[in-house]
Amino acid sequence: MALPRTPLTRRPLPRTPLRGTPVTAAVVTLLALGLPAVAAPAAAALPTHPAQLAHQAPARVAPSPATLTVTGEGSASAAPDLAVVVAGVEAVADSPQKAVDAQTRAANALLRAVRGRGVAERDIRTENLSLSPVYDHADGASRLKGYQAAQSFSVTVREVRETGAVVQAITDVTGEAARITSVAFAVSDPAPLQARARRAAHQDARAKALEYAGLSGRRLGRLVSLSEDAAGYPRPVPAAADAIGANSGVPVTPGVIRATATVTAVYELD
């Protein structure tokens, strides 16, 4: 015989107020939302009061190292290995054609002379060619006097000792039409000379930095920055030397070619 079923009565559990930390409240909230409670401990790492943030020590920043700034200067010299002669001819006549014809004859004589002294075709270049009227100014009036034709060349002499002889040859064959504008000496490849000047400037800057560091009772540290302030293109300077060409033409003195460099260097001090 079956026994009658007695309905089960579910008694409510006594409600105990949760006291404690915000972590407990966070766990209850997560459980109520159906979320895992493993995320709750992160809340425990947060400050419980905003005032705690104000009392936290700021991060310490390492002080910047002391630095030393110096300027270095350097130069390098070399004997020139070429000369550039700027020379030309000029003729005046009563008509344009006569002036051009006279100038052409003189220019051809100039070219034959420099070629005869061993100057290569690639080292001869026309720099200027002109034809202009010539006026005679008197008593406030201008009167056409004739026409002037002129031509100039740059002649590169790669055998420096031949420079005087080339100049003499030009004046010999062109006579009164000859015009010598300038003679300049140079080096055919200035890059190695400039590199030596830069190296000297760098060494000068480091030597100064070592000296100043020692005077300050410090040790010279690493190079922080290096900049080139100026680089002087190789140029001729006077030198104690005998004139060349005295026995074979116009005497000339080549001197030496000098390149310069200036740098600014910044070093740390240990």
Side-chain angles (χ1 to χ4, degrees):
M1 182 175 180
L3 294 178
R5 297 182 177 179
T6 303
L8 297 177
T9 304
R10 184 175 298 176
R11 295 180 181 180
L13 296 175
R15 296 183 178 179
T16 303
L18 296 175
R19 297 179 182 179
T21 64
V23 177
T24 306
V27 173
V28 172
T29 303
L30 292 173
L31 291 175
L33 296 174
L35 299 175
V38 293
L46 299 175
T48 58
H49 196 279
Q52 294 181 3
L53 293 173
H55 294 292
Q56 290 181 355
R60 299 184 63 182
V61 179
S64 301
T67 58
L68 172 67
T69 302
V70 293
T71 299
E73 298 177 345
S75 64
S77 301
D81 58 3
L82 61 83
V84 178
V85 178
V86 178
V89 292
E90 185 178 292
V92 177
D94 57 5
S95 71
Q97 188 59 54
K98 290 180 180 179
V100 171
D101 291 343
Q103 173 263 312
T104 300
R105 288 192 296 272
N108 286 331
L110 183 153
L111 294 175
R112 286 193 299 270
V114 297
R115 290 165 183 155
R117 299 303 307 184
V119 178
E121 288 294 333
R122 64 186 178 91
D123 291 328
I124 306 172
R125 182 178 64 202
T126 297
E127 295 291 343
N128 183 57
L129 180 64
S130 64
L131 174 65
S132 58
V134 179
Y135 292 93
D136 186 11
H137 302 279
D139 301 327
S142 298
R143 183 178 62 85
L144 181 63
K145 184 179 180 180
Y147 295 87
Q148 181 187 75
Q151 187 172 10
S152 63
F153 303 89
S154 65
V155 179
T156 300
V157 183
R158 299 190 181 274
E159 196 66 43
V160 174
R161 298 192 64 85
E162 285 291 312
T163 305
V166 170
V167 173
Q168 187 65 60
I170 292 173
T171 58
D172 287 344
V173 299
T174 56
E176 294 181 356
R179 301 291 184 271
I180 305 297
T181 304
S182 65
V183 176
F185 296 92
V187 290
S188 55
D189 184 8
L193 189 61
Q194 193 67 63
R196 286 168 49 198
R198 292 190 177 103
R199 189 178 304 111
H202 184 274
Q203 292 172 350
D204 181 55
R206 181 167 179 80
K208 289 179 180 177
L210 286 169
E211 182 177 359
Y212 281 119
L215 292 172
S216 305
R218 307 287 291 272
R219 291 189 309 167
L220 192 64
R222 70 183 184 92
L223 177 65
V224 177
S225 67
L226 180 69
S227 60
E228 184 176 70
D229 299 330
Y233 187 80
R235 65 184 188 279
V237 293
D242 295 332
I244 61 175
N247 297 326
S248 59
V250 177
V252 292
T253 304
V256 296
I257 306 301
R258 178 172 297 163
T260 60
T262 304
V263 298
T264 297
V266 180
Y267 291 91
E268 286 185 354
L269 290 177
D270 295 336

